[in-house]
Amino acid sequence: MTAARATAPPVLQLDQVARRRAGREAVQGLSLTLAPGQVLGLLGVNGAGKSTTLAMIAGALRPDSGAIRLNGEDFLEQPELARHLIGWLPERAPVWPELTVAEHLDAHGRLRGLRGAGLCAAREATVARLELQPLLRRLAGTLSQGQRQRLGLACALLHRPALLVLDEPANALDPVQVDALRKLIREQAAAGTAVILSTHVLVEVTAVCDRVAILHEGRLCHEGPVHADDHAALERRFFEIAMQARAA
Amino acid sequence: MSRLLPMFRLELRRLRVQPLAWVLLALSLAWLGWCFTRLLGDFLASEIKRAALPDGPGYVDLVAVPLLGQLAQLAFLVVPLLAMSTLAGERRNGTLPLLFAAGVPASRIVLGKYLALLPWLLAWLALTLAMPLSLAHATTPDWGKLAAATLGVALMLATLAALTVAASAFTTHPAIAAVLGLLIGLALWTVNLGAQMAGLNDGVVNWLAMSTHEQDLLRGLVSSADILWFVLLIVVCLALATRRLAADKERG
């Protein structure tokens, strides 16, 4: 990420965001910022609040308190901002099983405001980039989990969002696809898209992220830059947090 | 509108590729076709008797309206089966959050899905109506009565669809939505059964019953109060579904 981008106004600002879910505090007092072109890795053990955080950022879930700003505008007041600004790949990439891959792309494009030639161009570019051509006529219900992830990713990227929200994007992908995914994330970041991705695989973070945030029981326990050669330090910090919380 | 149209198209597409919608259409039309030939046979058999009654019932009274009545009866089963997946299916697939994340408000999701059901239901009604209309040139139909009966059935189909969409908003299981749609529809139809048996033809209970309003229209009596009853029920059902969906986003 360039220095100019790092000082650009943030695409995303979370201020003291909290959310209860299933009778417990899933996310508590979470504050984060993300600049254009930055890649933030959200780390945490299962149940740490990663998916809840991402669902709130994507606009699928409303926080109980706190503020979310997208490009400086109040996202909670204007949920329609999500339409153009955010691309979201939820965990397990849900699909409409009776629709084909091509129909999914069309439907997502239209929902995001693309029409006519713009939609065709965006679909072709996304299909080519994610190598979905052989799958276009397949029903989404017959795809493997890895293929569904790719379709979900294509739907998230179709409208060229300013913020890409990826929940466990490498789930069910083979090593070749994981490598392709990393390249794609770096490509998106280089083009100025801010990316926030959740994972519990540490190597994923050191491979593609500029910054890392570690969540535990809904709280932000660590936030800082990531250095590709610093995998061991990140691993140590992650286990410290997990163990401290367990001891407490 | 910009977010209603994509929602409408998406749901229309989903309905078009669902085998259940086609199976329901084929089976119900086969049944209605058989009913039509039976009604027509009875009509032709009674021709001599009716010739003696100059103001007696005609083709519309004896064939077209009873056929629409059969369609109305089938609708209690067919419409809930068709509409059961509208929102329950989205929740089951986990695709509802995708719609929220695309910035589609709950009202547009509900309205888009509801409106997508209407072309299918109107096509079903039109194909049924085509049967008696195919012989209309050989008779002298009472067009006013036929139009009123068609309007009544169209309103009833739209109301049952709205009821099932609302039921579908409250559950994850399409089958439960279908059962709820069927039961609420039947309850609304029969709510005044006791009052009718007691010989009461007025009052709130009779006003509440769908049968009161539908039967007036099937008899050829178009009143704005009857139309308003159907429209009110549709609006209430869609508002309930919207509220439930909006609460989903709040609750997660």
Side-chain angles (χ1 to χ4, degrees):
Chain A
M1 193 184 60
T2 64
R5 281 207 188 127
T7 54
V11 176
L12 173 73
Q13 279 176 287
L14 263 64
D15 185 18
Q16 292 297 312
V17 170
R19 170 77 207 201
R20 278 184 73 80
R21 227 175 169 185
R24 66 183 193 91
E25 300 289 345
V27 176
Q28 308 176 56
L30 180 63
S31 298
L32 282 173
T33 58
L34 195 59
Q38 262 191 349
V39 183
L40 173 71
L42 210 54
L43 266 178
V45 293
N46 288 334
K50 304 187 296 290
S51 293
T52 304
T53 302
L54 295 190
M56 287 192 289
I57 292 170
L61 195 64
R62 239 184 120 79
D64 293 331
S65 61
I68 300 177
R69 302 184 81 78
L70 281 178
N71 276 351
E73 296 192 71
D74 190 338
F75 183 36
L76 303 181
E77 287 294 314
Q78 303 170 69
E80 67 277 6
L81 287 173
R83 194 180 186 204
H84 301 292
L85 290 178
I86 299 177
W88 181 39
L89 170 66
E91 204 179 353
R92 287 189 289 276
V95 293
W96 293 288
E98 64 275 31
L99 297 189
T100 64
V101 168
E103 286 166 346
H104 266 85
L105 294 171
D106 284 348
H108 276 275
R110 287 197 191 99
L111 285 169
R112 299 287 184 171
L114 298 175
R115 296 275 181 285
L119 174 60
C120 285
R123 191 183 55 195
E124 276 169 29
T126 312
V127 165
R129 181 62 193 86
L130 284 152
E131 297 168 6
L132 287 171
Q133 192 63 44
L135 301 177
L136 277 180
R137 294 171 72 91
R138 288 263 304 271
L139 289 178
T142 66
L143 299 178
S144 69
Q145 187 56 39
Q147 290 167 332
R148 279 172 65 154
Q149 287 287 113
R150 273 162 61 205
L151 170 60
L153 200 55
C155 294
L157 285 170
L158 195 66
H159 56 295
R160 297 171 194 272
L163 171 64
L164 195 54
V165 181
L166 307 174
D167 198 350
E168 316 255 4
N171 265 0
L173 298 184
D174 62 41
V176 177
Q177 290 170 337
V178 169
D179 186 54
L181 172 72
R182 288 175 187 170
K183 279 186 190 141
L184 181 80
I185 292 172
R186 282 193 215 105
E187 225 179 78
Q188 290 295 315
T193 307
V195 183
I196 178 163
L197 66 97
S198 85
T199 179
H200 45 242
V201 182
L202 274 67
V203 73
E204 205 60 57
V205 174
T206 46
V208 292
C209 297
D210 306 308
R211 285 168 53 218
V212 63
I214 303 178
L215 287 182
H216 195 84
E217 293 179 349
R219 288 181 190 282
L220 182 64
C221 297
H222 169 86
E223 198 205 347
V226 176
H227 304 288
D229 54 353
D230 212 7
H231 179 77
L234 178 63
E235 192 172 47
R236 232 180 2 260
R237 186 76 188 110
F238 180 75
F239 279 106
E240 264 172 31
I241 290 166
M243 292 306 158
Q244 268 171 16
R246 192 167 289 179
Chain B
M1 191 66 186
S2 65
R3 271 164 289 176
L4 182 62
L5 200 60
M7 206 52 243
F8 171 76
R9 287 180 71 157
L10 170 62
E11 190 60 20
L12 207 58
R13 179 71 203 157
R14 289 183 64 205
L15 265 176
R16 228 180 74 190
V17 296
Q18 271 178 18
L20 180 65
W22 293 104
V23 170
L24 286 172
L25 189 69
L27 288 179
S28 59
L29 283 176
W31 167 255
L32 289 166
W34 184 76
C35 288
F36 173 63
T37 52
R38 205 166 42 91
L39 288 165
L40 192 63
D42 292 347
F43 174 75
L44 293 173
S46 65
E47 212 163 11
I48 297 167
K49 251 190 272 175
R50 278 184 296 105
L53 302 166
D55 289 332
Y59 178 69
V60 167
D61 301 291
L62 295 175
V63 180
V65 171
L67 186 69
L68 288 175
Q70 287 289 330
L71 181 134
Q73 281 178 27
L74 272 182
F76 281 103
L77 190 65
V78 170
V79 178
L81 286 174
L82 183 75
M84 64 183 178
S85 297
T86 44
L87 296 166
E90 294 284 356
R91 200 175 277 124
R92 201 179 169 87
N93 291 338
T95 41
L96 205 50
L98 285 179
L99 299 175
F100 289 138
V104 188
S107 59
R108 301 295 192 287
I109 297 175
V110 170
L111 202 58
K113 284 179 168 285
Y114 174 69
L115 291 177
L117 289 168
L118 297 185
W120 195 98
L121 294 174
L122 290 178
W124 189 39
L125 176 59
L127 288 169
T128 306
L129 208 56
M131 297 179 209
L133 284 181
S134 64
L135 296 177
H137 64 280
T139 61
T140 47
D142 181 343
W143 291 110
K145 195 176 267 187
L146 185 60
T150 306
L151 175 67
V153 176
L155 285 170
M156 188 182 158
L157 293 177
T159 305
L160 290 175
L163 269 174
T164 312
V165 167
S168 182
F170 284 85
T171 174
T172 311
H173 302 284
I176 294 177
V179 171
L180 278 174
L182 171 71
L183 292 179
I184 298 169
L186 286 176
L188 273 172
W189 187 266
T190 56
V191 70
N192 65 338
L193 215 59
Q196 295 248 307
M197 284 163 76
L200 297 170
N201 287 318
D202 285 322
V204 178
V205 178
N206 278 312
W207 185 84
L208 274 178
M210 191 189 290
S211 50
T212 309
H213 308 281
E214 183 66 17
Q215 277 159 4
D216 276 353
L217 287 159
L218 285 176
R219 276 200 297 268
L221 302 171
V222 179
S223 110
S224 48
D226 291 332
I227 295 173
L228 191 68
W229 184 90
F230 284 108
V231 173
L232 263 179
L233 194 57
I234 291 169
V235 170
V236 168
C237 288
L238 297 184
L240 272 175
T242 301
R243 240 182 110 87
R244 180 63 179 82
L245 226 56
D248 260 13
K249 190 176 173 182
E250 296 289 327
R251 279 206 298 251

